[in-house]
Amino acid sequence: MTTAHFTALMPLIITGLTAIIIVVAIAIRRNHRLIFLLSLAGLGAALFSIFPVLSSVPQRVTLLFTVDRFGLFYTGLIIASTFVVCLLSYDYMNLHLENLEEYYLLLLLATVGAIVITVATHFVSFFIGLEILSVSLYTLIAYQRMDMRHIEGGFKYLILSMVASSFLLFGIALIYMRTGAMDFSEVAHVLQGSKDLAATAGTVMVVVAIGFKLALVPFHMWAPDVFEGSSSPVAAFLATCSKGALFAIMLRYFSSIKMGDNTPLAMILTLIAVASMFAGNLLALFEDNLKRLLAYSSIAHFGYLLVAFLSTGSLKGLAVAYYLVAYFVSILGAFGVVTVLSGRARDADTIEDYYGLSSEHPWLAGILTASLLSLAGIPLSAGFMGKFYVMSAGIQANLWFLVIILVVNSALGLFYYLRIIAAMYVLPPGRRLSRAPALMGTVVLTALFLLILLLGVYPASVTGFMETVALR
């Protein structure tokens, strides 16, 4: 490896080194605040290291990685989201009295796995990244081991990951058997115009593995239980970084093999998109637990994203990138409010906990309202512009059927978001929340609120940048 290769991998190296430093720091002296600050410093350094790298990419680093602007964009998105999750976690973790420090170590290791996935261009590096991410997530979900819900959630995610890994390995084996390659570009070259049944079956198995991780229908059954069983910050990480990394690798791989030419695969993904939009929104209508509701909402949102994914026009890359950024900001805002209001005994995860919130914490009620309206795609919010770009990409590619389904489901989804907003503003206060929101959490949520507005009213502030780094 050359100096240029090390420079290109700097965000990954810094994040990994921070995890090692934290291990040493924990061994010397346990101090929650110190480990928290080290984590923030490492993530901040990794995030800023992306900017000097932008001018020297693309770089092919060994057979396993390609560091390009596409990968760096998603790497930055994942690191920034982890930074927010870290900030939201500090006061939340202070409510729990033991082994606080290892939480940040696991969060960083999961981030390392997610970064590896975003720059992977080889099935081996993809699998390694997926396993690093998955193993860290099992433990993060079950981190509060005295609560059986967390243990159950971790166990379910473990089973799900084993199934997904099995499908992925079998799919890789079939593709390798027919192409003799595991590098994405070589696989794409061999499969160009091919209708080989075994290779198609292998590709479908890779789709199934990614579908499990993205909780797309019909592989979604785990999501509500795991989200409910996770602590609020971990659920936020699951909904953003974990899914974002998998969607990035899906975009990279299927762009390489020119999926648009593969009609059976496109039809399968179209069915998955429609089923995910309807199932996610319909199941959320009957949900009273906020974490489970956001899990179903997440299923529907990745169904929307598949519309952009299936498009073949020039807006595809921008639509996916903008929608993911808008979704990340909005879902972090929603889970952030749940986090700052959660107490030692339990998380504030039932809709009843939000009855009359506007009279008790009007600013938090306003932030949660903005986040939910953004997820619903209401004008002047980030989510509206995200859906605008996704629909534009779909129309450009003549995917009228999917665009109509997206519009119908957006209207359907509005009902359950409005139900929470009505509970905050119309209904009288219910169960009193035991915890006063901490200053740091409120500041972070305010920043997310401003981002939702900025992305909603002035999208040009980021679209120019996204067109240069994320278009693919």
Side-chain angles (χ1 to χ4, degrees):
M1 286 177 61
T2 65
T3 305
H5 292 161
F6 281 107
T7 306
L9 288 178
M10 200 52 73
L12 176 62
I13 292 171
I14 292 175
T15 310
L17 278 177
T18 306
I20 294 171
I21 291 169
I22 285 177
V23 170
V24 175
I26 292 173
I28 295 172
R29 183 169 180 265
R30 285 187 172 275
N31 185 309
H32 182 203
R33 178 171 294 185
L34 174 65
I35 300 301
F36 166 70
L37 292 175
L38 282 174
S39 303
L40 287 185
L43 289 169
L47 189 59
F48 281 108
S49 72
I50 290 173
F51 296 102
V53 175
L54 280 172
S55 59
S56 60
V57 293
Q59 288 280 345
R60 184 67 194 253
V61 185
T62 70
L63 290 174
L64 301 179
F65 305 111
T66 297
V67 182
D68 51 12
R69 290 186 167 224
F70 172 84
L72 287 175
F73 172 76
Y74 287 97
T75 296
L77 189 59
I78 286 166
I79 294 174
S81 302
T82 308
F83 192 87
V84 172
V85 170
C86 255
L87 287 170
L88 291 171
S89 298
Y90 180 73
D91 290 302
Y92 180 91
M93 293 304 294
N94 265 335
L95 299 172
H96 306 281
L97 298 179
E98 60 175 345
N99 300 327
L100 306 177
E101 295 79 9
E102 285 84 352
Y103 170 84
Y104 299 94
L105 172 63
L106 291 166
L107 207 54
L108 285 165
L109 289 176
T111 306
V112 167
I115 295 173
V116 168
I117 291 172
T118 59
V119 294
T121 48
H122 195 283
F123 278 121
V124 170
S125 48
F126 173 27
F127 186 74
I128 290 171
L130 186 65
E131 288 305 297
I132 295 172
L133 174 65
S134 299
V135 171
S136 307
L137 283 175
Y138 311 148
T139 321
L140 276 172
I141 294 166
Y143 195 75
Q144 295 175 38
R145 64 184 191 280
M146 303 308 291
D147 188 331
M148 286 309 297
R149 290 179 306 166
H150 295 268
I151 299 295
E152 181 186 339
F155 189 70
K156 284 181 177 174
Y157 195 77
L158 170 67
I159 299 296
L160 161 276
S161 294
M162 289 168 61
V163 173
S165 296
S166 302
F167 272 100
L168 180 62
L169 285 175
F170 199 14
I172 292 172
L174 284 174
I175 291 171
Y176 183 73
M177 179 182 76
R178 305 308 293 179
T179 65
M182 287 201 279
D183 180 90
F184 293 174
S185 58
E186 289 181 30
V187 170
H189 178 70
V190 176
L191 291 182
Q192 190 72 34
S194 169
K195 294 183 179 177
D196 185 272
L197 186 60
T200 303
T203 305
V204 169
M205 286 190 175
V206 172
V207 171
V208 170
I210 295 176
F212 268 114
K213 290 294 186 177
L214 292 177
L216 295 169
V217 176
F219 318 110
H220 65 289
M221 291 78 75
W222 62 274
D225 291 343
V226 170
F227 273 58
E228 184 184 15
S230 307
S231 61
S232 299
V234 173
F237 186 87
L238 268 172
T240 54
C241 300
S242 173
K243 289 192 169 195
L246 266 297
F247 204 87
I249 190 81
M250 191 164 88
L251 195 62
R252 185 190 286 278
Y253 176 67
F254 287 103
S255 295
S256 300
I257 65 171
K258 299 190 185 307
M259 189 208 57
D261 298 330
N262 194 333
T263 304
L265 190 57
M267 287 180 65
I268 290 171
L269 286 170
T270 300
L271 290 174
I272 289 175
V274 173
S276 297
M277 286 188 268
F278 274 113
N281 284 316
L282 288 173
L283 291 170
L285 284 174
F286 305 100
E287 195 52 69
D288 289 326
N289 183 289
L290 198 53
K291 284 186 191 171
R292 294 178 68 89
L293 185 149
L294 290 173
Y296 286 126
S297 163
S298 170
I299 293 168
H301 279 283
F302 277 83
Y304 302 152
L305 262 173
L306 281 180
V307 178
F309 177 81
L310 286 163
S311 66
T312 52
S314 57
L315 283 173
K316 176 179 179 176
L318 174 63
V320 171
Y322 200 97
Y323 196 91
L324 272 178
V325 170
Y327 166 78
F328 272 38
V329 173
S330 307
I331 202 84
L332 282 172
F335 272 116
V337 173
V338 177
T339 302
V340 299
L341 289 175
S342 295
R344 186 188 299 275
R346 65 177 183 86
D347 285 1
D349 57 2
T350 67
I351 293 182
E352 191 181 347
D353 291 326
Y354 295 83
Y355 285 3
L357 182 67
S358 61
S359 60
E360 192 173 7
H361 300 296
W363 185 232
L364 288 181
I367 293 170
L368 183 55
T369 300
S371 302
L372 295 174
L373 291 178
S374 180
L375 288 170
I378 297 300
L380 301 181
S381 69
F384 172 77
M385 292 310 303
K387 280 187 180 168
F388 172 77
Y389 284 119
V390 168
M391 285 193 288
S392 299
I395 291 169
Q396 188 185 51
N398 290 320
L399 300 174
W400 287 100
F401 172 70
L402 283 176
V403 171
I404 291 170
I405 296 293
L406 191 156
V407 172
V408 169
N409 275 277
S410 295
L412 197 61
L414 190 59
F415 284 101
Y416 57 83
Y417 293 124
L418 287 179
R419 189 156 67 98
I420 303 169
I421 294 170
M424 291 190 291
Y425 289 95
V426 178
L427 295 174
R431 286 181 289 187
R432 288 290 174 189
L433 299 163
S434 57
R435 180 185 166 200
L439 177 62
M440 182 162 61
T442 306
V443 170
V444 173
L445 290 174
T446 302
L448 291 172
F449 170 74
L450 294 174
L451 266 176
I452 289 171
L453 290 183
L454 177 67
L455 292 170
V457 300
Y458 189 47
S461 60
V462 293
T463 51
F465 176 72
M466 286 180 183
E467 282 174 338
T468 61
V469 300
L471 192 60
R472 193 173 169 80

